[in-house]
Amino acid sequence: MAIGEIKELPKSWAMLGGDGPESYSQNSSYQKGVVDASMEMVDDGIMEKLDLKSLGFESTNDTFRIADFGCSVGPNTFFAVENIMKAVEHKHLAQFNNSAPLSGFQVFFNDVTTNDFNTLFKALRSNEKYCSAGVPGTFFGRLLPRSTLHFAHSSYCLHWLSKVPKEVLDSESPAWNKGSIQCDGLKKEVTKAYSAQFQSDMSTFLEARAQEIVGGGLMVIITGGLPDGVLMSQAGIGMYYDLLGSCLIDMAELGVVSEEKLDSFNLPLYYSSSKEIEEIIKANGNFSIERMDSLSHNIWKTSRETKIKVSVTGGRAVFQGLLEDHFGREVAEKTFENFETKLDENFSIIDGAAHEHIDHFILLKRNVN
């Protein structure tokens, strides 16, 4: 795919907009926890790996430019970029001592064209430190001019694929995923199709960012994944998606949706291992891996009731648009009602899974060509 070519994602990939009780902005505490857990690693990475002198900030009073790819509707994106700015200011002070401070920051907030940018910018606090701009469009393609960015950030987005692999929806294909709505790892042909799509998408993302980030600039990627050698079906998150799928199967058995409609639905999600990601980055060749780690999330230390609430409300905020687009609003509403009941009944099984997914933290540095 040419760098300038943009893959257009379906409207349902956007999170639930607005600021109401079911919105993503009110129900993204898990994603906020991921941002919180990454802050120290981001601070360390900027202090140790960002060389402002080589980027020209000693002799010029240039603006430091940041982009958050997959910003959604807030407020988590604001916490992330403000932490980045603080860390850059500390680095500037440490590297140049008493020299003049940075002239300022420019922040680009990116998400798909159907993202609720109105809610995002309504929530943006007045801040003299930075100028902001919305950049609508899928990040699986170029979005900004060459060598625009000094720092790129993407949190909890890249386990979303640009599309569901066509093979898993084809009844004539060995990779037909009948009976499941996810890549559970139990059928090698399905896993191979999802893995190939992830590799293609991740490679496209890296190639586009390589054009936009200056040599010596940094990028942080945080994405959902699995420990090496662990299947999705063995992890609590895989059981969670199976439970959601069982609610849709119930609807089909009741005749509310057709079996064909159910078989044509799969989640566009792929939880990769660190080994897979490392291989893709190295094959791309435009970035050095400065750090690969996993994050520790505080949600697992909370009460059963809190975990269930976050799982239900967060799931609705993320997946309701996807289900409505495929099955209609009435089916989506009934599915989440049943899901809440089933999750309460089965939560001990999910919470007691032998494995859990991990949140990858990856710090990359753009090679200087």
Side-chain angles (χ1 to χ4, degrees):
M1 188 186 84
I3 293 302
E5 181 185 344
I6 301 294
K7 298 178 183 177
E8 195 53 55
L9 304 186
K11 63 182 179 180
S12 50
W13 261 249
M15 304 296 101
L16 204 60
D19 55 6
E22 294 181 349
S23 66
Y24 182 82
S25 64
Q26 298 296 321
N27 295 287
S28 53
S29 58
Y30 183 89
Q31 293 85 345
K32 169 62 164 56
V34 171
V35 170
D36 289 345
S38 72
M39 283 186 174
E40 186 175 344
M41 292 186 188
V42 171
D43 292 349
D44 291 345
I46 289 173
M47 185 59 70
E48 296 170 9
K49 303 298 182 180
L50 186 68
D51 184 358
L52 291 171
K53 185 175 181 179
S54 70
L55 295 179
F57 283 93
E58 182 180 37
S59 56
T60 64
N61 201 22
D62 197 7
T63 298
F64 193 93
R65 294 180 295 276
I66 302 165
D68 188 26
F69 293 97
C71 64
S72 194
V73 297
N76 300 333
T77 185
F78 304 137
F79 298 129
V81 299
E82 286 168 11
N83 181 63
I84 293 166
M85 288 188 292
K86 287 179 184 176
V88 171
E89 288 176 329
H90 291 158
K91 174 66 177 186
H92 190 274
L93 182 62
Q95 192 165 3
F96 302 128
N97 296 319
N98 294 322
S99 63
L102 285 164
S103 64
F105 295 87
Q106 184 173 15
V107 180
F108 300 97
F109 294 101
N110 157 257
D111 214 307
V112 292
T113 55
T114 48
N115 183 58
D116 186 359
F117 283 98
N118 286 334
T119 294
L120 175 72
F121 283 102
K122 275 174 25 181
L124 181 62
R125 298 190 296 270
S126 176
N127 193 320
E128 295 179 357
K129 282 187 179 180
Y130 68 95
C131 300
S132 60
V135 183
T138 169
F139 49 54
F140 294 120
R142 274 277 298 278
L143 291 163
L144 296 166
R146 187 178 296 274
S147 300
T148 296
L149 302 173
H150 302 106
F151 196 102
H153 180 268
S154 183
S155 180
Y156 240 66
C157 304
L158 284 168
H159 54 283
W160 285 83
L161 303 177
S162 66
K163 62 181 180 181
V164 174
K166 62 181 185 298
E167 304 96 308
V168 306
L169 304 176
D170 181 0
S171 61
E172 302 298 320
S173 168
W176 189 28
N177 201 26
K178 183 176 176 59
S180 179
I181 66 167
Q182 64 161 330
C183 177
D184 57 20
L186 295 175
K187 191 173 183 181
K188 65 179 181 180
E189 295 87 354
V190 173
T191 303
K192 183 178 179 181
Y194 267 93
S195 177
Q197 186 62 53
F198 175 76
Q199 181 176 344
S200 173
D201 287 344
M202 189 71 172
S203 297
T204 302
F205 176 87
L206 291 171
E207 193 62 37
R209 304 294 81 78
Q211 305 302 312
E212 297 165 346
I213 301 172
V214 300
L218 299 181
M219 177 161 62
V220 164
I221 295 171
I222 303 166
T223 187
L226 291 171
D228 291 345
V230 173
L231 304 181
M232 193 71 165
S233 60
Q234 298 172 323
I237 190 69
M239 297 176 187
Y240 173 93
Y241 293 140
D242 275 343
L243 198 64
L244 180 62
S246 75
C247 296
L248 292 169
I249 291 172
D250 291 345
M251 302 288 272
E253 290 176 347
L254 291 171
V256 178
V257 299
S258 68
E259 187 175 349
E260 292 76 17
K261 193 75 170 174
L262 176 60
D263 289 341
S264 64
F265 180 77
N266 267 234
L267 294 173
L269 298 172
Y270 182 73
Y271 285 68
S272 59
S273 68
S274 58
K275 182 180 178 181
E276 284 179 283
I277 296 176
E278 184 177 1
E279 288 175 352
I280 295 168
I281 295 168
K282 288 181 176 179
N284 173 264
N286 288 304
F287 297 91
S288 62
I289 300 172
E290 302 297 329
R291 181 171 185 175
M292 289 192 73
D293 214 328
S294 58
L295 301 174
S296 177
H297 201 302
N298 286 331
I299 187 66
W300 309 124
K301 303 171 185 176
T302 58
S303 67
R304 178 182 187 276
E305 291 73 21
T306 299
K307 292 182 203 176
I308 291 176
K309 181 181 178 181
V310 169
S311 298
V312 172
T313 60
R316 178 186 284 269
V318 171
F319 295 115
Q320 180 158 329
L322 198 62
L323 265 64
E324 282 187 11
D325 189 55
H326 192 84
F327 297 103
R329 183 172 182 81
E330 185 176 343
V331 171
E333 288 289 341
K334 187 63 177 175
T335 298
F336 281 110
E337 288 175 13
N338 294 342
F339 181 62
E340 183 170 4
T341 300
K342 282 196 172 189
L343 189 62
D344 184 58
E345 294 171 349
N346 294 276
F347 192 76
S348 60
I349 299 173
I350 295 174
D351 200 36
H355 302 281
E356 191 44 76
H357 80 282
I358 57 177
D359 297 321
H360 298 299
F361 176 92
I362 307 150
L363 175 67
L364 304 179
K365 189 168 189 174
R366 177 69 172 95
N367 296 335
V368 178
N369 294 329

